[in-house]
Amino acid sequence: MNENLFASFIAPTILGLPAAVLIILFPPLLIPTSKYLINNRLITTQQWLIKLASKQMMAMHNTKGRTWSLMLVSLIIFIATTNLLGLLPHSFTPTAQLSMNLAMAIPLWAGAVIMGFRSKIKNALAHFLPQGTPTPLIPMLVIIETISLLIQPMALAVRLTANITAGHLLMHLIGSATLAMSTINLPSTLIIFTILILLTILEIAVALIQAYVFTLLVSLYLHDNT
């Protein structure tokens, strides 16, 4: 009960050395691969989900945009597995760290924007000034559009961080309330424990949805620049 509310968000260490890198590299090991001609049900389901997600994200892209398909599929798998592992007790969630999410969002956003300026510079510059803008408003609109462009990676990172952090804090608070009420009132404990189970199911859904939303927004940024 005296545990710090934000203790689960502190980067873990092993013998004084940061263990975040090992934790980040761990999720890919959970993705099974098959060496056989006929796959089992788990791998078949996994391939079907990957194909479904990639089909939805790549349907709107041209040939140049579809070259990012492997990167986007890898991104959604990494974020989803990392979010799900963070729901385990006494675990660490890298995607609850803003620095981690910025490290994913900024390079992907910058790559999409640079590609847009290299391939379609006229269309890329046209986004800064909508057609038919009154002359007195041109400087203000250019500044606003520039800020909205530069804030995109920050919005990506903050959205993912806020959703994961809020869910973990709420689960921590309800779990602590369940433990405190267990010695006071058993019926109330059962009600709170039921709420905790329902919240855990919701957080599993949020973990998967946030991975999809993050990757889909990167895909939209790519679509606007290809």
Side-chain angles (χ1 to χ4, degrees):
M1 294 297 296
N2 295 325
E3 182 183 359
N4 183 7
L5 186 61
F6 296 93
S8 60
F9 302 107
I10 300 175
T13 57
I14 299 178
L15 299 178
L17 300 176
V21 176
L22 296 178
I23 296 174
I24 292 172
L25 295 177
F26 180 69
L29 300 178
L30 301 178
I31 306 299
T33 57
S34 176
K35 300 179 182 179
Y36 303 100
L37 181 61
I38 301 177
N39 297 326
N40 56 28
R41 292 184 178 88
L42 177 61
I43 295 179
T44 302
T45 305
Q46 169 192 309
Q47 292 177 347
W48 176 78
L49 291 174
I50 292 174
K51 184 177 180 180
L52 179 64
S54 60
K55 184 178 180 180
Q56 290 185 353
M57 288 186 295
M58 294 292 108
M60 58 184 172
H61 289 285
N62 54 21
T63 305
K64 182 178 292 186
R66 290 176 182 176
T67 58
W68 284 48
S69 59
L70 181 60
M71 182 182 298
L72 294 179
V73 170
S74 302
L75 178 66
I76 190 173
I77 292 174
F78 172 75
I79 297 177
T81 52
T82 304
N83 290 347
L84 292 175
L85 285 176
L87 295 176
L88 297 176
H90 304 288
S91 61
F92 172 71
T93 312
T95 48
Q97 306 292 320
L98 182 61
S99 57
M100 168 72 183
N101 297 332
L102 283 173
M104 291 190 296
I106 292 178
L108 294 171
W109 167 83
V113 172
I114 292 173
M115 180 181 292
F117 277 101
R118 290 185 60 184
S119 60
K120 300 190 305 181
I121 186 169
K122 290 184 179 180
N123 292 336
L125 294 176
H127 289 296
F128 292 94
L129 188 62
Q131 188 176 4
T133 303
T135 304
L137 297 179
I138 289 178
M140 184 181 298
L141 281 178
V142 170
I143 294 174
I144 292 174
E145 291 297 328
T146 303
I147 294 175
S148 66
L149 177 66
L150 296 177
I151 208 173
Q152 286 177 352
M154 179 63 72
L156 271 178
V158 170
R159 180 185 294 107
L160 180 58
T161 304
N163 280 280
I164 300 301
T165 303
H168 286 195
L169 289 177
L170 191 56
M171 290 178 63
H172 188 282
L173 290 173
I174 296 179
S176 300
T178 304
L179 185 61
M181 292 293 294
S182 61
T183 58
I184 301 175
N185 192 332
L186 185 59
S188 299
T189 302
L190 294 176
I191 295 174
I192 299 176
F193 184 70
T194 303
I195 296 175
L196 180 61
I197 293 176
L198 295 176
L199 180 62
T200 303
I201 296 174
L202 177 63
E203 283 303 310
I204 293 174
V206 168
L208 298 175
I209 291 172
Q210 288 303 315
Y212 179 75
V213 169
F214 188 97
T215 311
L216 182 62
L217 289 175
V218 173
S219 178
L220 291 175
Y221 297 156
L222 177 63
H223 174 67
D224 293 337
N225 291 280
T226 55

